[in-house]
Amino acid sequence: MTDQKRHFGEFKLIAGNANLPLAIKIAKELGLSLENSKVGRFPDGEVKVDLDCVVRGTDVFIIQPICQSHYSPLGRPCLTAERGAPTGRMKEICTYQSINDNLVELLVMIDAARRASAGRITAVVPYMAYAKQEKKKKGHEPITAKLVANLITTAGADRLLTVDLHTPAIEGFFDIPVDHMRMALLMGAHFRDKLGLRDAVVVSPDAGGVARATEFRNHLKAHLAHDIAGDEMAIAIKRRTPEDEPTIMEMVGDVAGRPAVIFDDIIQSGGTLLEVVKLLKARGATAVHAAVVHADLTPGAAEAVAQSPLESLVLSDTTASAKEVAGGKIKILSTARILAHAIWRVHTQQSVGWIFDTLGDKGKLPKFKR
Ligand code: R5P
């Protein structure tokens, strides 16, 4: 440890039930184990936390994406038995864990760490849900991205480490430092080096995603001659019906006779992605691939992707759903190494920008070494 300054003697990794495989992978990258904290439920469903480790004065990292999980490791008695159902029904085990469950687990874990005198608490939230409501589109609507930022801060987090916020402006909703990792670098390098798709046209599925897709394109086409690297992108113009179904109205850009790669931050129903695939095929794209950072999938989405003409879909593992649907045309790129390096760099007061520089230069990060 030459130029590293530790302001907190030790660091501890604590995880809830949102995405344990990712938390374990991050710990493994760091050569550590997760603390043996217990995050469960009281019989009425309230979140019950026992950190079960000494955090006084330490640098605590709480790993908990605000995602849903259809197969949570928590598995708890199902409280949804119909009125009048035999009591035995109450013993059914529920494994579905909602975004709201995972949000409250995060807040309660932060509260426990604060009350146990943690020196510093970093909320590691690889997927930040509620982020799509980041502004009022009409009167009488909430701004849930700000509400969630307030909840995390009020619970006691001193910092946030996150991945691909729906819009970077959400960083400003937090009055604590935010380290914002972006998957465009790793995913762009994957399409460039592993899939050899440098000549593809990059497609943003909506106007709001253009900056994100531009960064992805810059990495996909890094080191190429200007006439190819300077390609314009294609941008779809999306509207949503009052029922929230996406409709692609138009597309700017030429894709005829070339492969296309769509880059988006979130897939939920798959509606947006598959509408864009349809239009790209109609406009003459030779093959359509996609990369999406967060898989917050609703039932039926993976099947719809499987049956579509999409050739391949790359997701990250920020959510539990990603792992649940991996296989076939769906491949997962892990965020674990990026997050492990970021945690260590936050802990030792080193530049987090090094992660972006290294990914930009080499397309991958070295194995973590202390
Ligand atoms: C929207 O602004 C997002 O970037 C995604 O395009 C959207 O969340 C995808 O949702 P769905 O898969 O339900 O169309």
Side-chain angles (χ1 to χ4, degrees), residues 316-334:
S316 85
D317 59 353
T318 55
T319 65
S321 307
K323 200 129 195 258
E324 292 164 4
V325 299
K329 58 172 91 164
I330 300 181
K331 179 177 169 59
I332 311 294
L333 283 191
S334 182

Side-chain angles (χ1 to χ4, degrees), residues 15-211:
N17 296 300
N19 188 350
L20 260 185
L22 173 61
I24 291 168
K25 218 165 168 181
I26 294 171
K28 214 167 154 198
E29 287 280 346
L30 287 162
L32 290 175
S33 304
L34 297 172
E35 297 301 323
N36 205 14
S37 305
K38 295 172 189 70
V39 182
R41 296 292 182 273
F42 286 97
D44 65 351
E46 274 183 23
V47 171
K48 181 182 184 195
V49 166
D50 176 359
L51 296 183
D52 206 15
C53 61
V54 177
V55 295
R56 187 176 296 273
T58 64
D59 204 8
V60 174
F61 292 84
I62 298 178
I63 306 169
Q64 177 83 340
I66 308 174
C67 62
Q68 55 177 331
S69 164
H70 294 264
Y71 305 99
S72 158
L74 181 57
R76 56 191 185 274
C78 192
L79 298 181
T80 56
E82 288 156 28
R83 190 183 287 268
T87 44
R89 287 279 300 278
M90 300 291 279
K91 296 207 173 91
E92 281 175 16
I93 298 298
C94 285
T95 61
Y96 179 71
Q97 176 134 335
S98 71
I99 279 173
N100 302 328
D101 280 306
N102 285 325
L103 170 61
V104 178
E105 279 192 3
L106 171 67
L107 300 174
V108 177
M109 285 187 288
I110 295 172
D111 186 71
R114 181 171 58 87
R115 290 176 194 282
S117 306
R120 179 172 68 174
I121 302 168
T122 301
V124 182
V125 185
Y127 173 57
M128 184 71 73
Y130 281 114
K132 289 208 291 182
Q133 299 177 71
E134 93 287 13
K135 58 180 171 299
K136 286 166 79 160
K137 292 185 186 115
K138 55 182 168 60
H140 313 134
E141 285 186 344
I143 302 182
T144 57
K146 175 62 180 156
L147 172 65
V148 169
N150 286 349
L151 289 171
I152 291 173
T153 312
T154 305
D158 298 299
R159 310 181 60 91
L160 176 77
L161 170 58
T162 189
V163 180
D164 281 282
L165 289 167
H166 179 57
T167 158
I170 294 172
E171 272 187 48
F173 294 2
F174 289 85
D175 284 329
I176 53 176
V178 175
D179 289 299
H180 185 193
M181 304 295 113
R182 300 184 307 275
M183 283 299 277
L185 291 84
L186 196 64
M187 288 181 155
H190 175 80
F191 277 85
R192 180 185 73 220
D193 302 336
K194 297 263 161 55
L195 304 183
L197 278 166
R198 290 175 159 217
D199 60 335
V201 180
V202 171
V203 184
S204 173
D206 55 34
V210 173

